[in-house]
Amino acid sequence: MRRGRFEFLGLMNVAAAGLLAPSLAPRLSSSIASSNLDGNGRSPLGDSNDVLNPSQAGYKWRLVLAYDGTNYAGWQYQLSPPTIQCVLENALTRVTKLDRKDLCLVGSGRTDRGVHAWGQVAHFTTPFNYDSLEDVHAALNGLLPSDIRVREISPALPEFHARFSAISKVYHYKIYNDAIMDPFQRHFAYHCVYKLNSTVMREAAKYFIGKCDFSAFANVSHNDRVQDPVKQIFRFDVIDVGPLLRLEVEGSGFLYRQVRNMVALLLQIGKEAIPPEIVPMILESRDRKELAKYTLSTPPHGLCLVSVNYNESHLLLPPGRPASSFGRHHSVTKCKLPFY
């Protein structure tokens, strides 16, 4: 009872700060009583298996995130070295005054150490509604380090799930193909000094398109989840932008290090060390050892999660919820410098 009273007072403080709809404050005690989102067997670590029960009292919020993954040990929660989820949860707990187990933060996928994102999607829950999301948005970005930004925050339907509702993901892998590396690209592109034949790389990339078993292109995962090795690749484009080679791949989902392993093989083909026809042979083997005969994984810093796509019906705004926030511009109405 004492703990519930302190939680209630903490949430009242959020209301006073303008982050919580004041009209909901009197009902918070009953909301908190039903907001133990860990009560149905959910992992306290906010695992991707967490699913909010639509019949349970609570409000769900969708985030679109961009981050430079250089200084982070990937997405998945851990305290040291820091991860994106850990830093984001710290900011959310300060803004919402909720415990991380109550937030149930879930990402669309677990980007690896050093991998970047422009369109990572996540969701979290609160036992209360908001009148406006602009203040929450500004508060989050004010607390987060400059290499992590919340690009968008929106109310979400109860059935929306950042991971399980996704229908496709788009990754880009950048290769800087020149004798001298551009220092401004060093954290975001892999430097290849060998002259690459992008034409044969495009030819080879076509073999990946379609639905097939990608076991040969998956490293052993460090978690105990059993993943379906059958994935569908919708497109795999190789685009020349001056010395920069951008490989764009869209698929229904990806296995652990699958994209980096596919890019690694295309690099060997681009160097003309092996022919494009090697791709279907390795796919048919379904054996990671077969790929290891020709190449190792490319480094993570060239990889970026660009977008996560959902059915439009899953992105509808629930009734009685605030509008989405995309950040707000500030304006100067009067020059503050004196005239001389």
Side-chain angles (χ1 to χ4, degrees):
M1 186 66 185
R2 181 182 297 272
R3 180 175 179 272
R5 179 174 178 272
F6 288 151
E7 286 179 332
F8 174 78
L9 291 175
L11 292 168
M12 288 293 288
N13 289 335
V14 180
L19 297 178
L20 174 62
S23 60
L24 292 172
R27 303 204 304 268
L28 281 178
S29 58
S30 60
S31 296
I32 291 170
S34 60
S35 66
N36 182 12
L37 301 180
D38 234 15
N40 289 331
R42 296 181 180 87
S43 166
L45 294 182
D47 200 306
S48 54
N49 290 323
D50 295 344
V51 181
L52 179 68
N53 185 346
S55 65
Q56 199 170 15
Y59 298 84
K60 186 174 283 190
W61 311 95
R62 181 175 60 252
L63 302 172
V64 179
L65 304 157
Y67 49 83
D68 174 353
T70 303
N71 298 318
Y72 298 95
W75 165 267
Q76 185 63 18
Y77 184 89
Q78 67 182 46
L79 291 175
S80 181
T83 63
I84 304 296
Q85 184 180 5
C86 178
V87 175
L88 179 59
E89 283 188 354
N90 287 342
L92 282 169
T93 55
R94 291 181 64 182
V95 170
T96 64
K97 300 296 189 286
L98 297 173
D99 292 332
R100 62 180 301 266
K101 65 179 178 62
D102 297 320
L103 290 168
C104 288
L105 178 68
V106 179
S108 68
R110 301 174 178 180
T111 51
D112 294 336
R113 176 190 295 267
V115 174
H116 316 294
W118 172 249
Q120 171 72 288
V121 176
H123 75 255
F124 69 96
T125 61
T126 61
F128 46 77
N129 197 4
Y130 286 108
D131 283 335
S132 171
L133 291 174
E134 286 191 343
D135 289 339
V136 180
H137 196 169
L140 282 175
N141 280 336
L143 291 169
L144 289 167
S146 58
D147 51 6
I148 304 175
R149 294 291 89 178
V150 175
R151 293 176 49 214
E152 175 188 341
I153 177 170
S154 305
L157 295 168
E159 57 268 26
F160 173 82
H161 192 282
R163 180 188 172 208
F164 296 127
S165 299
I167 58 174
S168 73
K169 295 179 182 178
V170 178
Y171 281 92
H172 288 183
Y173 194 97
K174 293 181 181 179
I175 302 167
Y176 197 80
N177 190 205
D178 202 2
I180 306 299
M181 180 62 180
D182 180 347
F184 296 104
Q185 296 282 348
R186 71 189 189 280
H187 293 310
F188 308 103
Y190 169 64
H191 184 208
C192 180
V193 296
Y194 298 93
K195 187 61 180 176
L196 298 174
N197 184 338
S198 59
T199 301
V200 295
M201 292 175 72
R202 288 188 195 94
E203 181 184 343
K206 292 178 182 177
Y207 288 112
F208 288 118
I209 298 174
K211 181 180 288 188
C212 59
D213 189 321
F214 283 94
S215 297
F217 289 86
N219 284 25
V220 177
S221 178
H222 296 302
N223 58 64
D224 57 359
R225 289 183 300 166
V226 178
Q227 290 186 310
D228 182 3
V230 177
K231 304 295 178 184
Q232 184 169 6
I233 302 298
F234 302 113
R235 65 181 180 93
F236 203 144
D237 302 322
V238 180
I239 302 170
D240 293 285
V241 187
L244 197 66
L245 203 62
R246 188 172 71 241
L247 282 66
E248 302 183 0
V249 57
E250 179 178 2
S252 59
F254 297 94
L255 301 171
Y256 182 53
R257 293 195 179 177
Q258 179 186 334
V259 176
R260 289 164 57 189
N261 287 329
M262 292 191 297
V263 169
L265 187 62
L266 291 181
L267 273 170
Q268 295 301 321
I269 293 170
K271 294 174 186 177
E272 300 182 339
I274 51 178
E277 294 75 23
I278 203 78
V279 176
M281 185 195 77
I282 295 175
L283 280 169
E284 291 171 7
S285 74
R286 302 180 183 179
D287 186 355
R288 178 67 179 83
K289 294 179 182 177
E290 191 65 29
L291 177 65
K293 295 177 182 178
Y294 302 96
T295 187
L296 301 174
S297 292
T298 53
H301 67 278
L303 187 62
C304 180
L305 173 59
V306 173
S307 64
V308 184
N309 301 315
Y310 300 89
N311 286 323
E312 290 297 322
S313 60
H314 284 162
L315 300 180
L316 295 175
L317 299 183
R321 307 289 292 281
S324 301
S325 172
F326 299 92
R328 59 187 172 197
H329 293 281
H330 295 273
S331 60
V332 177
T333 57
K334 184 178 180 180
C335 181
K336 298 180 181 179
L337 294 175
F339 291 96
Y340 295 99

